[in-house]
């Protein structure tokens, strides 16, 4: 009996896949009042290369192995590779419940709740149409700043967000006002959204208890001369009949905020470009951040990042709608001294980034290659990503890149080089009800 290959099974899975997900109506009245719910889950499996931190060895004694490290016998003046054990296995990236409400005279409600690892509020915003082309949103929501920050976690081309997204605004409590402009029969040819929010990143303050008198102000301008997409997503997942139409959108954003508690002022500026045509997509995005301390409590610094991503559906009767190949290149320097004379003081205190050190502060480049199998668009998909990281700068106690084994220094302090390998493979399934 002939065995079915994985490629043979993929079209069969598509036949069993649900159609595009729609929220399930709990209440739907004749006057347009509606209340519905939906949700999505993203289980994944990862394999992570145990990162090697190269260390200069001053003696013949091998470093003892611990529960999380492997030791290799050392030779005086040589470089020892100490590998930290990063676990492989299964996980859940997101498990969300989404509730939608609408009343023709009282606007719309959007409520999103995370259920893993803890139950907590993710998003709650109320939206109102104040006048034609003028809308108001109030609540906890994604700050209108960058396209990458506005796209749903379930509608991304890649399993892992760009590293530069760690400098973005995240979700905030506040208010946003949006004005759109129709031109030449094109709906939302241009739009401008401004807002005021409590400020502070989620990692620095709690999700809702950050009421103070220090606000984050934001503005985002979007030009889309080819018209707007029905939903904000990555990749050219438009119906086949619409893919021969060019879609292009350019976004510019900026934020400013003051944090008196930590004595700093901070600005962000960014730009993003999204182009779709013929089943191919191009997405480019940049971000610049500058933090200036009003008192001498810390060093002023800036952060800079940019990323370019491309995707293309594979030609074929089945693959042109269901199989997409993707690639992305990122360059990211999360923390650089604005005063070059103080650069050494602000360099990373330890090597690594990514799974090895999620808070890693070294400059790095990241290359991601992937394949997406869309059984029902972004609502039901399988994503495969291989991620390769390269550190671009030494950390604060870094050693020289090369050592002469025949003439090792007589006195050596143990120091590590920039090399930290933590490449990874991640497979993730997204299912939206």
């Amino acid at each position: 009996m002939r065995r079915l290959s994985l490629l043979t099974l993929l079209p069969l899975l598509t036949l069993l896949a649900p159609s595009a997900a729609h929220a399930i109506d709990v209440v739907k009245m004749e006057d347009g009042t509606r209340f519905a719910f939906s949700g999505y889950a993203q289980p994944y499996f990862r394999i992570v290369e145990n990162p090697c931190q190269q260390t200069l060895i001053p003696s013949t004694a091998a470093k003892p192995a611990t529960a999380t490290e492997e030791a290799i016998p050392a030779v005086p003046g040589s470089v020892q590779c100490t590998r930290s054990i990063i676990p492989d296995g299964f996980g859940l990236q997101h498990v969300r419940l989404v509730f939608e409400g609408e009343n023709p005279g009282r606007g719309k409600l959007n409520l999103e709740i995370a259920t893993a690892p803890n139950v907590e509020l993710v998003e709650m915003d109320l939206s109102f149409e104040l006048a034609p082309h003028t809308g108001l949103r109030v609540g906890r929501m994604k700050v209108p700043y960058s396209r990458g920050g506005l796209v749903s976690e379930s509608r991304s081309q890649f399993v892992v967000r760009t590293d530069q997204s760690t400098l973005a605004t995240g979700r905030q409590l506040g208010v946003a006002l949006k004005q759109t402009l129709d031109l030449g029969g094109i709906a939302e040819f241009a739009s401008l959204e401004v807002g005021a929010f409590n400020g502070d990143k989620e990692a620095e303050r709690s999700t809702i208890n950050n009421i103070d008198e220090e606000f984050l102000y934001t503005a985002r301008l979007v030009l889309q001369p080819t018209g707007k997409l029905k939903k904000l997503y990555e990749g050219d997942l438009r119906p086949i009949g619409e893919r021969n139409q060019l879609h292009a959108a350019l976004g510019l954003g900026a934020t400013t905020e003051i944090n008196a508690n930590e004595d700093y002022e901070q600005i962000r500026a960014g730009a993003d470009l999204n182009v779709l045509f013929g089943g191919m997509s191009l997405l480019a995005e940049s971000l610049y951040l500058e933090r200036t301390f009003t008192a001498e409590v810390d060093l002023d610094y800036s952060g800079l990042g940019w990323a370019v991503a491309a995707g293309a559906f594979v030609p074929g009767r089945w693959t042109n709608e269901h199989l997409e190949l993707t690639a992305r290149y990122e360059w990211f320097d999360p923390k650089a001294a604005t005063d070059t004379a103080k650069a050494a003081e602000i360099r990373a205190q330890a090597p690594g980034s990514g799974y090895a050190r999620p808070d890693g502060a070294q400059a790095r480049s990241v290359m991601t290659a992937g394949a997406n199998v869309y059984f029902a668009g972004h609502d039901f998909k399988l994503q495969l990503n291989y991620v390769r990281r390269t550190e671009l700068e030494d950390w604060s106690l870094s050693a020289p890149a090369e050592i002469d084994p025949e003439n090792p220094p007589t006195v050596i302090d143990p120091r590590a080089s920039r090399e930290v390998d933590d490449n990874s493979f991640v497979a993730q399934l997204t299912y939206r009800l």
Side-chain angles (χ1 to χ4, degrees), residues 35-104:
F35 183 75
F37 77 91
S38 62
Y40 66 90
Q42 293 182 304
Y44 68 85
F45 176 76
R46 77 181 191 191
I47 300 175
V48 184
E49 179 184 10
N50 293 328
C52 168
Q53 297 180 6
Q54 298 182 8
T55 307
L56 284 173
I57 305 303
S59 68
T60 55
K63 183 178 179 181
T66 66
T68 59
E69 294 182 343
E70 303 170 354
I72 300 175
V75 177
S78 67
V79 176
Q80 175 179 282
C81 177
T82 302
R83 294 191 179 274
S84 300
I85 306 302
I86 306 298
D88 303 331
F90 295 92
L92 277 173
Q93 182 154 232
H94 298 107
V95 182
R96 302 277 175 84
L97 292 176
V98 182
F99 299 89
E100 304 171 12
E102 182 176 358
N103 182 285

Side-chain angles (χ1 to χ4, degrees), residues 26-358:
V26 178
V27 175
K28 190 173 184 179
M29 303 176 65
E30 293 182 358
D31 66 352
T33 300
R34 173 176 172 264
F35 183 75
F37 77 91
S38 62
Y40 66 90
Q42 293 182 304
Y44 68 85
F45 176 76
R46 77 181 191 191
I47 300 175
V48 184
E49 179 184 10
N50 293 328
C52 168
Q53 297 180 6
Q54 298 182 8
T55 307
L56 284 173
I57 305 303
S59 68
T60 55
K63 183 178 179 181
T66 66
T68 59
E69 294 182 343
E70 303 170 354
I72 300 175
V75 177
S78 67
V79 176
Q80 175 179 282
C81 177
T82 302
R83 294 191 179 274
S84 300
I85 306 302
I86 306 298
D88 303 331
F90 295 92
L92 277 173
Q93 182 154 232
H94 298 107
V95 182
R96 302 277 175 84
L97 292 176
V98 182
F99 299 89
E100 304 171 12
E102 182 176 358
N103 182 285
R106 287 181 284 172
K108 299 179 180 180
L109 161 71
N110 178 68
L111 176 66
E112 188 169 332
I113 298 173
T115 62
N118 301 305
V119 177
E120 63 179 8
L121 175 69
V122 175
E123 192 166 306
M124 192 294 299
D125 69 88
L126 306 172
S127 58
F128 309 92
E129 186 178 5
L130 302 182
H133 307 293
T134 305
L136 178 72
R137 294 189 299 147
V138 181
R140 184 172 195 267
M141 54 193 160
K142 295 176 179 177
V143 175
Y145 161 70
S146 67
R147 190 181 192 281
L150 293 172
V151 174
S152 168
E153 290 88 344
S154 65
R155 295 189 173 99
S156 172
Q157 279 182 298
F158 299 89
V159 176
V160 182
R161 293 279 194 177
T162 60
D163 282 13
Q164 70 178 17
S165 67
T166 59
L167 299 183
T169 53
R171 291 176 170 89
Q172 304 278 353
L173 275 167
V175 59
L177 181 68
K178 183 176 182 179
Q179 182 69 44
T180 62
L181 171 67
D182 297 348
L183 186 64
I186 299 175
E188 293 197 22
F189 178 94
S191 65
L192 175 64
E193 192 165 11
V194 296
F197 297 83
N198 275 356
D200 302 338
K201 291 178 57 178
E202 296 176 25
E204 297 174 353
R205 300 289 289 274
S206 67
T207 57
I208 59 174
N209 185 25
N210 64 340
I211 301 174
D212 51 35
E213 297 182 2
E214 303 150 16
F215 298 104
L216 177 146
Y217 299 98
T218 184
R220 175 168 170 78
L221 174 66
V222 178
L223 302 175
Q224 38 196 5
T226 56
K228 64 171 293 187
L229 297 173
K230 294 178 181 179
K231 287 185 179 292
L232 201 59
Y233 53 76
E234 295 180 359
D236 192 0
L237 271 77
R238 298 174 296 173
I240 292 293
E242 298 178 12
R243 291 185 182 177
N244 61 349
Q245 303 172 13
L246 175 68
H247 170 80
L250 173 67
L252 303 172
T255 72
T256 179
E257 63 181 307
I258 296 175
N259 188 320
N261 184 50
E262 297 185 34
D263 293 316
Y264 68 76
E265 298 177 358
Q266 182 168 277
I267 61 170
R268 293 183 185 86
D272 50 83
L273 174 67
N274 184 42
V275 179
L276 307 177
F277 182 75
M280 297 180 290
S281 63
L282 176 67
L283 178 62
E285 190 164 5
S286 64
L287 179 146
Y288 175 78
L289 174 146
E290 186 171 304
R291 179 174 292 191
T292 304
F293 289 88
T294 53
E296 294 185 3
V297 296
D298 204 343
L299 293 176
D300 299 342
Y301 68 86
S302 65
L304 180 64
W306 57 267
V308 177
F313 278 85
V314 177
R317 186 174 180 179
W318 180 83
T319 54
N320 64 353
E321 289 189 84
H322 300 285
L323 179 59
E324 180 189 36
L325 302 181
T326 61
R328 183 174 68 194
Y329 179 84
E330 309 170 48
W331 183 94
F332 182 50
D333 188 351
K335 204 170 185 179
T338 55
D339 182 354
T340 55
K342 298 181 179 180
E345 299 178 47
I346 207 169
R347 285 167 60 193
Q349 297 299 304
S353 62
Y355 288 114
R357 290 195 64 212

Side-chain angles (χ1 to χ4, degrees), residues 53 298-299 301-302 332-337 342-354 357-364 391-399 415-420:
Q53 297 180 6
D298 204 343
L299 293 176
Y301 68 86
S302 65
F332 182 50
D333 188 351
K335 204 170 185 179
K342 298 181 179 180
E345 299 178 47
I346 207 169
R347 285 167 60 193
Q349 297 299 304
S353 62
R357 290 195 64 212
D359 60 342
Q362 280 179 293
R364 65 258 195 186
E391 307 300 334
L392 301 177
E393 67 178 353
D394 298 338
W395 62 299
S396 58
L397 299 178
S398 177
R415 298 172 295 173
S417 77
R418 73 177 67 170
E419 299 297 335
V420 181

